[in-house]
């Protein structure tokens, strides 16, 4: 994994070139595109490389605009707050929640979690289970 994402001579499996291309797409975008985006998979369609951004935040910024990126950041922030709450109340599930949060932060920076439906579905199943079990746990702590 370290070799694949290494930013050495090859530029992180081509990510360096992709990131530059996406940043150029964003900087050259119209005001309407910046605010509302360019549609799902816009980076692959308009980028000239036929590839996604390999970064959820860049992908959302171009594909879904400022509104989409803001919603993504709010979600990640809210999940981070929830993880801190689980740590504070010493929840049995705080370890898996932290692990999932770290995976989410790392993978969404160098690949995709939110952009590919399969990965998002797997995380959503975990988040649903986490919320359901910790809601019951939190009732015990608060009563």
């Amino acid at each position: 994994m370290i070799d694949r994402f290494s930013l050495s001579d090859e530029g992180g499996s081509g990510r360096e070139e992709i990131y530059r291309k996406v940043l150029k797409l964003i900087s050259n975008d119209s005001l309407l595109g910046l605010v509302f985006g360019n549609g799902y998979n816009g980076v692959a369609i308009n980028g000239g490389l036929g590839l996604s951004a390999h970064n959820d935040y860049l992908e959302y910024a171009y594909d879904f605009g400022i509104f989409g990126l803001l919603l993504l950041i709010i979600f990640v922030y809210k999940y981070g707050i929830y993880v801190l709450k689980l740590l504070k109340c010493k929840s049995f599930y705080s370890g898996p929640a932290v692990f999932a949060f770290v995976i989410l932060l790392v993978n969404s920076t160098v690949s995709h979690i939110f952009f590919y439906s399969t990965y998002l579905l797997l995380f959503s199943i975990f988040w649903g289970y986490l919320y359901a079990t910790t809601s019951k746990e939190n009732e015990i702590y608060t009563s």
Side-chain angles (χ1 to χ4, degrees), residues 72-91:
L72 177 64
I73 291 170
I74 289 170
F75 177 82
V76 171
Y77 174 78
K78 291 278 209 177
Y79 180 58
I81 296 297
Y82 195 74
V83 169
L84 290 175
K85 180 180 171 186
L86 292 176
L87 285 168
K88 185 178 178 183
C89 72
K90 296 179 170 86
S91 169

Side-chain angles (χ1 to χ4, degrees), residues 4 12 23 25 45 58 72 76 93 95 110 129 135 140:
R4 179 177 170 113
L23 289 171
L25 283 171
I45 294 167
L58 289 175
L72 177 64
V76 171
Y93 298 97
V110 296
Y129 177 78
S135 293
I140 294 169

Side-chain angles (χ1 to χ4, degrees), residues 93-125:
Y93 298 97
S94 60
V98 169
F99 183 70
F101 188 63
V102 169
I103 289 174
L104 176 128
L105 289 178
V106 170
N107 282 358
S108 64
T109 303
V110 296
S111 187
H112 293 295
I113 294 289
F114 297 99
F115 187 64
Y116 293 142
S117 58
T118 305
Y119 299 143
L120 182 59
L121 179 62
L122 290 172
F123 268 86
S124 297
I125 290 168

Side-chain angles (χ1 to χ4, degrees), residues 20-39:
R20 272 197 300 273
K21 187 74 169 178
V22 175
L23 289 171
K24 187 175 180 179
L25 283 171
I26 292 169
S27 67
N28 292 336
D29 209 359
S30 67
L31 180 62
L32 193 62
L34 286 173
V35 175
F36 297 108
N38 297 282

Side-chain angles (χ1 to χ4, degrees), residues 10-64:
E10 74 203 34
S13 298
R15 282 172 173 74
E16 209 172 276
E17 179 185 353
I18 295 167
Y19 294 164
R20 272 197 300 273
K21 187 74 169 178
V22 175
L23 289 171
K24 187 175 180 179
L25 283 171
I26 292 169
S27 67
N28 292 336
D29 209 359
S30 67
L31 180 62
L32 193 62
L34 286 173
V35 175
F36 297 108
N38 297 282
Y40 179 78
N41 215 14
V43 171
I45 294 167
N46 301 330
L49 299 173
L51 299 169
S52 70
H54 287 73
N55 178 307
D56 275 328
Y57 307 100
L58 289 175
E59 189 80 44
Y60 269 59
Y62 186 75
D63 289 0
F64 307 117

